[in-house]
Amino acid sequence: MEDPVRVSRYEPGKIKRRVIFPVLISLGSMAAIFSSTSFRTISIEEIERTRFDFSFLGLALLVVLLAWFVDASRVCLTARAWGKKIAFRHALTTVLSGYFMSSITPFMTGGSPAQLYVLAQSGLGWGEASSLVVICGILYQASLLLLLFVFVFVFRVGFTLRGVLLGMLYSFAIFYSVVMFLLFFFLYNPRVLFRAARWGVSFVHRRFRRVKFSEQVVLQWIEEFLEEFRQGFTILFRRKPQYLFWNIGCYMLNYTLIFSLAYLVIRALGGSPSFLRVVGVQIPLFYVFSFIPSPGASGGVEVSIASVFSGFVGVYRVGIFVLLWRSLTFYLPMLVGGFVFFRILRELNNRHHARNSSP
């Protein structure tokens, strides 16, 4: 497969400008939550009853770091299924870069390309890295579904979604099911995909004459992608299933750690809810977050969390809850992930300039 860096290079300047949009949307949403709840309904008696415990926030910070460690360990060991060894720091850079790009792209779609980019610079071939990222992306959603079944049928945790949130959950379930069906259908019936691709290229050339790409290049890319995906699927599901179970186990543990942050924030605010209920109610919400079109799902995440967790923390404290929870799950990964991602871009650009300037 052609080196994507030569085709489309990440431009740090443009990426930095994109950061401002999700941040402004998020801050604006939280300002609206504060103005409509906390500032208007709080009383002196409620302020006096509020006890803030910083020790739970310190524990929440440790949980965030542990979640990053689990995710990086998953990447580090999964690469061995492809016969590759990558350093743990490269695996950590991979997941943090994914967090950062997810937080600034619509539908949080930038995480996978960023992980592919970093993995390819860490010793994996582009084909190996792309198949690893695509397969693990499927397992990411499957693990969340499995965790949902565990909480509903094993722990007997119930939850309720109404209105827009329920509609978005149904929409995501239908959309994801269709995508998975088409992916595996084309995997075993590539001729249908090739015909559709030829028709699509011909249509684009007729309608947009300035677009310059050949049908042969498109068909070659599709063929290579299907072959890489087929090989990756065979590795994890047939030849080395232990790595499949390792991925699912790490994903479920990572989800549980991330979901426990809301519980720790509530404890910091003086509440004492059921841990299983707090974790369980977030599982369908994470499916909804993937369907919000704004960069990093900003705005929709804050409003959704506020509507669901107002019953746990009280209306007058839901604003500060959203602020603390979002700081741990959004602003911190964006800050740290952006730092490591721009650092690797700088290293690669320096290497590129040195190669071009050498005689």
Side-chain angles (χ1 to χ4, degrees):
M1 181 180 293
E2 188 174 4
D3 188 341
V5 178
R6 296 180 182 178
V7 178
S8 178
R9 186 176 298 276
Y10 282 108
E11 298 183 24
K14 291 183 178 180
I15 296 176
K16 290 178 181 179
R17 288 193 291 272
R18 289 183 181 180
V19 173
I20 192 172
F21 296 108
V23 172
L24 288 178
I25 295 172
S26 178
L27 292 177
S29 301
M30 283 190 284
I33 292 171
F34 269 106
S35 63
S36 62
T37 58
S38 303
F39 296 154
R40 297 184 181 181
T41 60
I42 193 168
S43 64
I44 299 298
E45 292 78 11
E46 290 170 333
I47 293 177
E48 291 176 349
R49 289 199 304 267
T50 301
R51 297 291 183 269
F52 198 80
D53 193 340
F54 285 95
S55 63
F56 283 104
L57 288 183
L59 182 58
L61 183 59
L62 293 178
V63 170
V64 171
L65 298 178
L66 180 58
W68 295 353
F69 177 85
V70 170
D71 209 7
S73 299
R74 176 192 60 80
V75 173
C76 191
L77 292 181
T78 303
R80 297 184 181 181
W82 274 258
K84 300 290 184 177
K85 266 191 174 184
I86 62 174
F88 180 81
R89 63 184 181 89
H90 291 152
L92 185 59
T93 300
T94 298
V95 298
L96 290 175
S97 299
Y99 298 159
F100 170 69
M101 290 301 296
S102 293
S103 67
I104 66 172
T105 50
F107 296 102
M108 300 187 290
T109 54
S112 294
Q115 290 185 357
L116 167 61
Y117 182 81
V118 178
L119 284 173
Q121 305 302 320
S122 303
L124 274 72
W126 287 103
E128 296 166 334
S130 61
S131 61
L132 188 153
V133 169
V134 172
I135 295 295
C136 289
I138 296 174
L139 295 179
Y140 177 84
Q141 300 293 346
S143 301
L144 185 59
L145 181 61
L146 181 58
L147 191 65
L148 177 64
F149 280 115
V150 169
F151 270 78
V152 171
F153 296 107
V154 177
F155 296 132
R156 303 292 182 181
V157 176
F159 44 80
T160 303
L161 290 180
R162 298 184 179 90
V164 176
L165 293 180
L166 182 61
M168 293 180 69
L169 179 61
Y170 285 149
S171 299
F172 177 82
I174 295 172
F175 173 78
Y176 190 73
S177 299
V178 171
V179 170
M180 287 298 100
F181 169 79
L182 291 176
L183 178 61
F184 284 95
F185 175 80
F186 290 138
L187 183 65
Y188 292 99
N189 299 273
R191 293 182 180 178
V192 179
L193 181 58
F194 290 145
R195 289 175 190 164
R198 290 190 183 96
W199 179 87
V201 171
S202 176
F203 176 82
V204 171
H205 284 165
R206 288 197 310 269
R207 296 287 182 175
F208 308 96
R209 298 186 180 278
R210 294 184 179 181
V211 177
K212 302 294 183 182
F213 60 85
S214 67
E215 177 182 299
Q216 182 180 0
V217 171
V218 174
L219 296 179
Q220 181 181 359
W221 183 87
I222 293 175
E223 184 178 2
E224 290 178 355
F225 171 78
L226 291 177
E227 180 61 27
E228 291 157 3
F229 180 81
R230 188 181 295 108
Q231 291 178 2
F233 189 85
T234 302
I235 288 173
L236 287 186
F237 285 82
R238 294 183 181 179
R239 289 163 43 194
K240 300 178 181 179
Q242 66 271 24
Y243 291 99
L244 169 65
F245 295 116
W246 168 258
N247 265 276
I248 293 176
C250 284
Y251 274 134
M252 293 180 69
L253 176 58
N254 182 265
Y255 278 129
T256 304
L257 291 171
I258 296 299
F259 294 157
S260 67
L261 294 175
Y263 172 81
L264 294 173
V265 172
I266 295 175
R267 292 300 304 272
L269 294 175
S272 55
S274 165
F275 174 79
L276 291 178
R277 179 159 176 76
V278 169
V279 172
V281 76
Q282 294 176 78
I283 300 175
L285 281 180
F286 262 59
Y287 280 115
V288 172
F289 295 163
S290 301
F291 214 62
I292 298 174
S294 59
S298 295
V301 169
E302 288 80 4
V303 173
S304 301
I305 286 292
S307 65
V308 171
F309 278 90
S310 59
F312 287 91
V313 298
V315 176
Y316 77 98
R317 288 186 298 186
V318 71
I320 188 64
F321 167 80
V322 174
L323 175 61
L324 294 173
W325 178 84
R326 199 62 166 146
S327 297
L328 292 167
T329 60
F330 180 71
Y331 293 113
L332 182 60
M334 175 189 283
L335 180 64
V336 179
F339 173 79
V340 299
F341 187 64
F342 286 122
R343 186 183 64 180
I344 192 172
L345 286 184
R346 186 169 57 252
E347 292 175 355
L348 291 173
N349 286 335
N350 292 338
R351 197 183 311 165
H352 177 73
H353 290 318
R355 208 168 37 236
N356 289 341
S357 60
S358 61

